[in-house]
């Protein structure tokens, strides 16, 4: 038996469904700007930038509700920075970059280190843990 109506185009008219994700709070229709996730094991509520896609156990919040967010008593709220604003490098970041460039410019010393010979002590180095180094500030 053949249907007279033809193929079903859409179960919901497209003018009702919006591509913009909305706030999960009841009766709030504002656009979502942040995603809230509860980490029950750590008693922590994590509020971060809007997730790439909607998760079933996360809550999308508008700007107003994300600013007014409080957690249950005894819980901690962790607010992650919004990644949309470009972060400016700090002095520590620039110093670390300069040190990395200086280290890369000395391939002979690195080759000697890899060869098993005794490494020359760097006067700027305070401590070492694996491949990470703690460096003394040039001001000290």
């Amino acid at each position: 038996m053949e249907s007279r109506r033809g193929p079903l185009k859409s179960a919901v008219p497209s003018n009702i469904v919006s591509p913009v994700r909305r706030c999960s709070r009841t009766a709030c229709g504002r656009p979502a700007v942040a995603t809230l996730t509860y980490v029950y094991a750590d008693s922590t509520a994590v509020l971060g930038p809007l997730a790439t896609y909607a998760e079933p156990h996360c809550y999308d919040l508008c700007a107003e509700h994300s600013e007014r967010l409080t957690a249950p008593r005894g819980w901690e709220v962790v607010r992650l920075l919004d990644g949309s604003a470009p972060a400016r490098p700090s002095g520590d970041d620039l110093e670390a970059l300069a040190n990395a460039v200086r280290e890369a410019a000395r391939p002979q010393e690195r080759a000697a280190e890899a060869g098993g010979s005794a490494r020359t002590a760097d006067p700027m180095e305070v401590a070492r843990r694996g491949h990470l180094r703690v460096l003394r500030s040039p001001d000290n």
Side-chain angles (χ1 to χ4, degrees):
M1 183 168 196
E2 196 172 319
S3 173
R4 294 181 195 181
R5 297 165 108 187
L8 182 63
K9 292 182 181 175
S10 175
V12 178
S14 63
N15 59 351
I16 294 176
V17 178
S18 170
V20 176
R21 288 181 15 211
R22 300 289 175 188
C23 184
S24 297
R25 296 293 301 260
T26 306
C28 181
R30 291 185 286 262
V33 297
T35 298
L36 171 66
T37 306
Y38 289 108
V39 182
Y40 293 98
D42 298 332
S43 299
T44 304
V46 180
L47 183 68
L50 189 62
T52 308
Y53 53 90
E55 291 280 343
H57 300 288
C58 296
Y59 303 92
D60 294 337
L61 299 177
C62 64
E64 181 181 340
H65 285 122
S66 64
E67 289 170 8
R68 295 186 339 189
L69 174 74
T70 59
R73 181 173 292 150
W75 282 54
E76 181 181 0
V77 176
V78 175
R79 295 178 186 268
L80 303 176
L81 295 175
D82 183 11
S84 64
R88 294 182 44 94
S90 69
D92 291 339
D93 293 337
L94 295 175
E95 185 176 343
L97 180 61
N99 288 335
V101 169
R102 284 188 207 110
E103 185 176 334
R106 292 182 263 163
Q108 301 83 11
E109 291 178 21
R110 295 183 89 201
E113 277 183 36
S117 64
R119 155 174 87 80
T120 58
D122 184 357
M124 296 297 291
E125 187 174 319
V126 176
R128 181 178 280 265
R129 176 177 247 169
H131 69 281
L132 301 175
R133 299 185 310 160
V134 177
L135 301 178
R136 182 175 289 117
S137 175
D139 299 334
N140 295 339

